Amino acid sequence: MRKTIIGISALAAMQLPVGASAETVHEGWYGGLDLGMAVPNDMDTEFSSTDLPTNCDRNFPVVTVNGETLPWPKDDPRCTPAGGVLDNSFDLDEGPLLGVNVGYAWRGFRLEAEYFYRQHGGDRRGNTINVQGKDHEFALISESVADMKGHQFFGNVYYDFPSALHKLIPYVGGGMGFMLAEMDYSLDAHRNPDREALAALGRHPDASGTLSRGDANLTDTLWGYQLMAGLDYPLTESVFLGVKGRYVDFLNDFKDGEPFGLLRSHASANSPGGETVRYWVETDDWGFWGVSLNLKYFF
C-alpha cells in the first residue's frame, strides 16, 4: 500500500511542468484546498458487554436441567458479567479525502491550521466468542461496520525547500490534532435452536433460537499525528498547484457503546440483573495513508 501511494505521488509530480528558472518559496498568508483519496488500515475490533450468563436470565421460566434449577437466583455468585469478548478484523474501503487549510509562510517555514474529511465503507464478518463452551451455544454471530467518517482538525508545520528542482518546490511537514470519529455498527448473535443441545451444555433450553442484537451509530474523539511530503508548482505569482502524500495515525483507541436492541429476544432493559445491558466496541486503528492534489492561494 505504501508503494502504491508513493507511486501515485511521483506520477502526479511528473505531470507538473518544470520551469527553466529557479524560484524562491513564497511568503505571507495563504488558503488552500485538498482533494484526494484516503486508504485506511485494517480495523481490528473488540466487543464486550455487561450481560450476565444465560442461566441468570429470569425472563425464562423455572426449569430443571441436569438436576439443577434454572434460572439461577439473582444472588448466585455465578451471576456476574461473563467477561467474554468478540475479536474481529474488518477490511475498509478506500474513500474520499477533502480538506481546507489556512496558514502563514515565512522563510521557508509554514504554520497551518487544517480541516479535512474522509469516509469509508465497511463490511460484515462472522465470528465466534472466545469463552469456553460459548461457541456451541451460538449458531451464528456476525458483526458489521459501515459508513466510517472522520472529521480531522490538525495544526501543521511545513518546511519548503527553495530552488531545489527549478520551479518545483518540495516540502515536508508534520502535525498534531484530533478526529471526531463515527461509524455504524451492528451485531447479530443467534443462539443454537436445538433445545437439547443447549441443555446438554447446561444452558436454559428456552434460550434456544433467541437473538441478541446491537445496532447503533458509535462516536469517539481520537488524538493523533500526521507526516506529510509533497511538491508545489507556481501557476501564477499567487496560485500554486501541488501533490501531497500523508500518513495519519492516532494514539488512543476508539471506544463507544449502546444498550442492546434485543437481548435473548427480549428488551435489554428487562435484563437478568434489573439494569439495562450495554455493549462496548473498541477499535485499535483509524490510521490511513492519503494522497491528494492541493491548490494554494497566497493573499
Side-chain angles (χ1 to χ4, degrees):
M1 189 63 65
R2 187 177 309 176
K3 291 181 179 179
T4 300
I5 292 180
I6 292 173
I8 293 173
S9 301
L11 180 61
M14 291 171 62
Q15 307 308 309
L16 296 174
V18 179
S21 61
E23 294 285 335
T24 59
V25 296
H26 222 69
E27 294 190 345
W29 290 98
Y30 67 89
L33 300 173
D34 277 82
L35 174 62
M37 177 182 68
V39 182
N41 297 333
D42 290 344
M43 176 177 287
D44 295 329
T45 63
E46 183 178 279
F47 172 96
S48 60
S49 79
T50 60
D51 189 21
L52 302 181
T54 302
N55 287 345
C56 299
D57 195 331
R58 304 187 67 78
N59 293 280
F60 298 140
V62 176
V63 297
T64 300
V65 176
N66 300 331
E68 184 175 25
T69 300
L70 300 178
W72 297 325
K74 291 179 62 175
D75 58 355
D76 191 296
R78 292 170 290 184
C79 288
T80 56
V85 298
L86 285 171
D87 294 320
N88 220 331
S89 182
F90 296 91
D91 296 324
L92 306 181
D93 298 333
E94 301 170 355
L97 188 155
L98 307 171
V100 295
N101 54 72
V102 62
Y104 186 81
W106 182 71
R107 293 189 177 182
F109 290 95
R110 287 188 283 122
L111 298 179
E112 179 182 276
E114 179 185 33
Y115 162 79
F116 59 94
Y117 170 84
R118 62 188 176 102
Q119 184 173 348
H120 308 283
D123 65 357
R124 176 173 286 273
R125 295 293 178 92
N127 211 333
T128 55
I129 199 164
N130 62 355
V131 175
Q132 186 175 5
K134 283 286 188 179
D135 53 340
H136 299 295
E137 180 176 348
F138 291 89
L140 173 66
I141 300 177
S142 63
E143 294 178 281
S144 74
V145 295
D147 203 16
M148 326 285 291
K149 299 176 182 177
H151 296 273
Q152 283 92 175
F153 302 84
F154 276 79
N156 304 318
V157 178
Y158 295 94
Y159 182 73
D160 297 327
F161 296 93
S163 306
L165 295 171
H166 299 289
K167 285 191 174 183
L168 284 177
I169 303 172
Y171 62 85
V172 295
M176 297 289 292
F178 66 94
M179 173 177 65
L180 304 179
E182 176 181 348
M183 72 174 179
D184 292 335
Y185 173 85
S186 67
L187 166 83
D188 289 313
H190 300 265
R191 280 178 170 76
N192 193 330
D194 188 334
R195 292 174 60 88
E196 294 183 0
L198 254 64
L201 292 170
R203 309 288 195 273
H204 198 299
D206 278 26
S208 63
T210 59
L211 172 66
S212 294
R213 169 171 288 169
D215 189 4
N217 179 261
L218 304 179
T219 62
D220 200 2
T221 300
L222 306 181
W223 296 88
Y225 66 92
Q226 61 176 343
L227 303 173
M228 294 84 70
L231 291 169
D232 280 344
Y233 179 83
L235 299 178
T236 70
E237 182 68 22
S238 301
V239 179
F240 287 70
L241 177 67
V243 61
K244 179 195 297 182
R246 73 175 84 206
Y247 175 70
V248 184
D249 197 13
F250 295 94
L251 305 176
N252 58 311
D253 291 345
F254 176 103
K255 186 173 183 179
D256 193 21
E258 291 287 338
F260 278 92
L262 285 175
L263 183 65
R264 289 181 284 272
S265 292
H266 59 71
S268 64
N270 192 17
S271 66
E275 298 179 355
T276 299
V277 177
R278 296 178 63 88
Y279 63 88
W280 299 91
V281 179
E282 186 169 358
T283 71
D284 71 345
D285 198 348
W286 278 69
F288 71 96
W289 293 90
V291 62
S292 60
L293 292 175
N294 56 84
L295 191 68
K296 285 194 283 289
Y297 177 78
F298 279 83
F299 302 102

